[in-house]
Amino acid sequence: MHVEQISIFIENKFGRLAEVTRILGDAGVNIRTLSLADTSDFGILRLIVNDTEKARTVLKERGFTVSKTEVVAVEIPDRPGGLADILQVLDADGINVEYMYAFVERCGENAVMIFRFDETQKAITTLTSKNFNVLPGNRLYSM
């Protein structure tokens, strides 16, 4: 039920984001979703890709600092209050959301959100016990 995410630390300067995406594209790695957070000096580019190991390898070969993290993909009802419902369930069980971002495609009538939790397995157990659909990584890679 975990999804592999890679995080790339990039200098906040012209052309670096384009360079990362070109390296991945040339290697045949498909970016499924991404999030970019920045400061004045550097950024953290978080990606879910179709081939995590290939992405890590080609980026490290080009001098980028890359790490791998497990995140969770959850279907969220695509309606007003849908996200609030899931966050309330997590809050009631004392689970902290470290960060989250949206997946680029819908899953039927639902949106898909990517979450990083402080207690991943507890979050998965809580969500599935409340009938939220937690998606396996292989389903995301082929959407």
Side-chain angles (χ1 to χ4, degrees):
M1 295 283 200
H2 301 260
V3 177
E4 290 184 342
Q5 168 193 272
I6 59 171
S7 298
I8 304 114
F9 298 89
I10 57 177
E11 295 170 276
N12 193 359
K13 68 179 191 178
F14 182 81
R16 293 299 274 174
L17 183 59
E19 181 182 3
V20 168
T21 59
R22 178 54 43 215
I23 291 167
L24 294 174
D26 289 347
V29 174
N30 189 22
I31 299 170
R32 303 302 300 140
T33 191
L34 64 85
S35 169
L36 179 62
D38 70 333
T39 66
S40 60
D41 297 326
F42 70 94
I44 301 173
L45 177 62
R46 294 182 173 107
L47 302 173
I48 294 176
V49 297
N50 67 325
D51 190 336
T52 304
E53 288 310 312
K54 182 188 273 187
R56 288 179 70 199
T57 299
V58 298
L59 289 168
K60 283 184 176 187
E61 286 172 353
R62 297 292 293 271
F64 287 92
T65 301
V66 183
S67 64
K68 183 169 70 172
T69 308
E70 289 187 343
V71 293
V72 179
V74 184
E75 286 186 34
I76 306 291
D78 193 7
R79 59 168 172 70
L83 180 58
D85 291 345
I86 194 169
L87 293 174
Q88 186 173 9
V89 165
L90 294 165
D91 185 53
D93 216 14
I95 299 167
N96 183 47
V97 175
E98 294 181 2
Y99 58 82
M100 59 187 246
Y101 54 96
F103 193 73
V104 294
E105 292 186 31
R106 293 171 51 111
C107 188
E109 293 299 314
N110 295 317
V112 177
M113 295 291 294
I114 306 299
F115 290 89
R116 170 77 173 154
F117 299 111
D118 60 348
E119 297 180 73
T120 302
Q121 194 54 53
K122 183 178 177 183
I124 291 170
T125 300
T126 296
L127 292 169
T128 55
S129 73
K130 299 293 185 181
N131 298 316
F132 286 99
N133 190 20
V134 176
L135 302 173
N138 61 354
R139 183 150 169 219
L140 288 186
Y141 308 140
S142 63
M143 287 181 102

